[in-house]
Amino acid sequence: FRFRLEGFSDQWIDARADRRSATFTRLAPGDYVLHVRAANPDGAWNEQGARLAIRVLPPFWATWWFRTLAALGIAALALLAWARRVRAIRLRAVLATAHAAQMALMPNADPRLAGFEIAGLCVPAENVGGDFFDYVWLDGEPAPLCVVVGDVAGKGMRSAMAAALASGMVHVQLR
């Protein structure tokens, strides 16, 4: 018998009598028609032969729907990375503003009191909190010195603003 695969090769391939198979490797996705002709023992060929339509499907990674999903997935990951970056930049800006607000509550200079060395230092952690301290002279300077220490629960801008309000209220009450 002889065979050919229309769409792959137009040449007829003669097969041995003991080999009853046809192998085609690396066929691209598409439609093919396998034509087979056989000869009788007298050597007369059947010119019409048999036909078999074959469709080779592409692997899943070569399909339009997979490529579309992959592109959408990559776009979603890029969008997620961009959103996380923007969020981190905004968070840094808010924390810098909160840090500046917290540091504005701290006294600019240490008080001078005869016979005493007084010093204060505030070193906020990574996340700005609502910690503050201040020195207040009761009834004006050289009267008794009051040291005010406060800690407002929370982190970031909310606690910094709450600390500013608390510091203001303490100053109003003590003066």
Side-chain angles (χ1 to χ4, degrees), residues 103-134:
M103 291 297 108
L105 296 176
M106 304 303 162
N108 293 331
D110 295 325
R112 299 191 185 277
L113 189 60
F116 293 95
E117 288 185 25
I118 301 172
L121 176 66
C122 178
V123 180
E126 264 183 48
N127 293 324
V128 178
D131 304 335
F132 68 95
F133 74 94
D134 203 352

Side-chain angles (χ1 to χ4, degrees), residues 80-142:
L80 179 65
W82 175 79
R84 289 188 68 177
R85 176 79 175 132
V86 167
R87 183 175 175 226
I89 290 170
R90 287 182 181 161
L91 180 61
R92 268 198 303 272
V94 166
L95 288 176
T97 304
H99 177 76
Q102 182 181 13
M103 291 297 108
L105 296 176
M106 304 303 162
N108 293 331
D110 295 325
R112 299 191 185 277
L113 189 60
F116 293 95
E117 288 185 25
I118 301 172
L121 176 66
C122 178
V123 180
E126 264 183 48
N127 293 324
V128 178
D131 304 335
F132 68 95
F133 74 94
D134 203 352
Y135 310 110
V136 179
W137 293 101
L138 299 178
D139 299 327
E141 209 169 317

Side-chain angles (χ1 to χ4, degrees), residues 147-171:
V147 178
V148 178
V149 178
D151 184 10
V152 177
K155 300 288 181 202
M157 187 56 88
R158 286 185 179 177
S159 60
M161 290 301 108
L165 290 172
S167 175
M169 288 187 282
V170 165
H171 278 273

